[in-house]
Amino acid sequence: MPPIRSLFRALKHTKLVFADPARGLRITRQELLPTTLTPDRLARLLEASSNSATRLVLALVALHATSGTDLRNLVLADVLLTRRQLLIRRPHGRHVVHLDDTTDALLHAWLCYRHQRWPRTVNAHLLVTQQTASTTDPVSVDYVYRRFDPAGLTLRAVRADRILDEARESEDPVHLVCVFGISITTAMKYIHAAHPHRAGTVPR
């Protein structure tokens, strides 16, 4: 994925800095907020569409490395608006996504549109379409992954690039586990990819 790997580096040429939502905050529990992009630095992805659902998907993947499966499985009960959090339920446990200003605004925009467009839908999933609004099914796999087509990107590549970018900033695999909810094995692979000078064998 060499072309995608340069995505964050290309954005850095704008000479804008990362905005850390955790700066100046005291957190009582061991919760780490991800380093996020300012709205200007995310614009290259978001400008590809004016669709509120697409923009939310792009932000959740590009900023928080949310997977396609996570996106399809999210339900309204997982949206904790007052806490600015999303609760992602996975087979091996739960992961809390702490929303930055950009993603939080896009989430509110999508929820408003969703309510206006399908006020009587019984579908509890966060993402719904014309086809799923009259059912209880999640959106299709293609729907989620094709959100990236207009930008010439893929969900998997953008997600991997986001985790890799964070790994470049930190050589601590536990940090990646806390920020993205990935396994320690996966975190170590990203650490080794970002810092090939590190000795040792990457766990299988």
Side-chain angles (χ1 to χ4, degrees):
M1 62 174 191
I4 298 302
R5 182 171 294 180
S6 63
L7 173 63
F8 274 47
R9 292 181 182 177
L11 292 175
K12 288 177 182 177
H13 288 166
T14 61
K15 300 187 184 303
L16 294 173
V17 298
F18 283 101
D20 183 0
R23 182 173 299 171
L25 296 180
R26 293 184 178 181
I27 302 177
T28 56
R29 293 181 296 170
Q30 293 298 314
E31 295 178 345
L32 297 175
L33 301 184
T35 301
T36 58
L37 296 174
T38 62
D40 289 340
R41 298 186 67 184
L42 185 58
R44 286 185 57 180
L45 288 178
L46 297 184
E47 69 185 3
S49 175
S50 60
N51 181 279
S52 57
T54 296
R55 291 163 66 84
L56 176 60
V57 168
L58 291 173
L60 284 173
V61 177
L63 299 181
H64 304 281
T66 311
S67 72
T69 299
D70 292 337
L71 291 169
R72 296 181 66 238
N73 290 338
L74 279 170
V75 296
L76 294 176
D78 297 328
V79 180
L80 310 177
L81 287 178
T82 58
R83 300 181 184 178
R84 289 171 48 123
Q85 295 175 347
L86 284 181
L87 180 61
I88 294 180
R89 306 170 194 272
R90 295 168 177 163
H92 56 276
R94 299 179 178 183
H95 172 60
V96 177
V97 174
H98 301 269
L99 301 177
D100 58 288
D101 291 342
T102 299
T103 311
D104 185 58
L106 292 173
L107 175 60
H108 276 80
W110 163 245
L111 289 174
C112 288
Y113 176 83
R114 183 187 189 281
H115 178 70
Q116 294 172 358
R117 183 69 178 82
W118 301 287
R120 296 183 179 84
T121 181
V122 296
N123 195 320
H125 289 88
L126 174 61
L127 297 175
V128 294
T129 65
Q130 183 64 33
Q131 290 70 38
T132 66
S134 59
T135 72
T136 58
D137 299 328
V139 295
S140 68
V141 174
D142 284 345
Y143 173 83
V144 173
Y145 282 87
R146 291 184 66 180
R147 299 306 94 193
F148 293 81
D149 289 351
L153 303 170
T154 68
L155 185 153
R156 289 189 179 92
V158 171
R159 179 175 185 268
D161 187 67
R162 175 65 185 97
I163 300 174
L164 184 61
D165 185 78
E166 190 72 22
R168 294 192 187 103
E169 301 296 323
S170 171
E171 294 191 36
D172 182 7
V174 176
H175 173 73
L176 299 186
V177 171
C178 293
V179 170
F180 300 118
I182 58 179
S183 68
I184 191 66
T185 299
T186 300
M188 284 301 300
K189 290 180 179 179
Y190 278 99
I191 292 295
H192 281 263
H195 305 280
H197 61 279
R198 284 178 62 113
T201 303
V202 178
R204 293 182 179 275

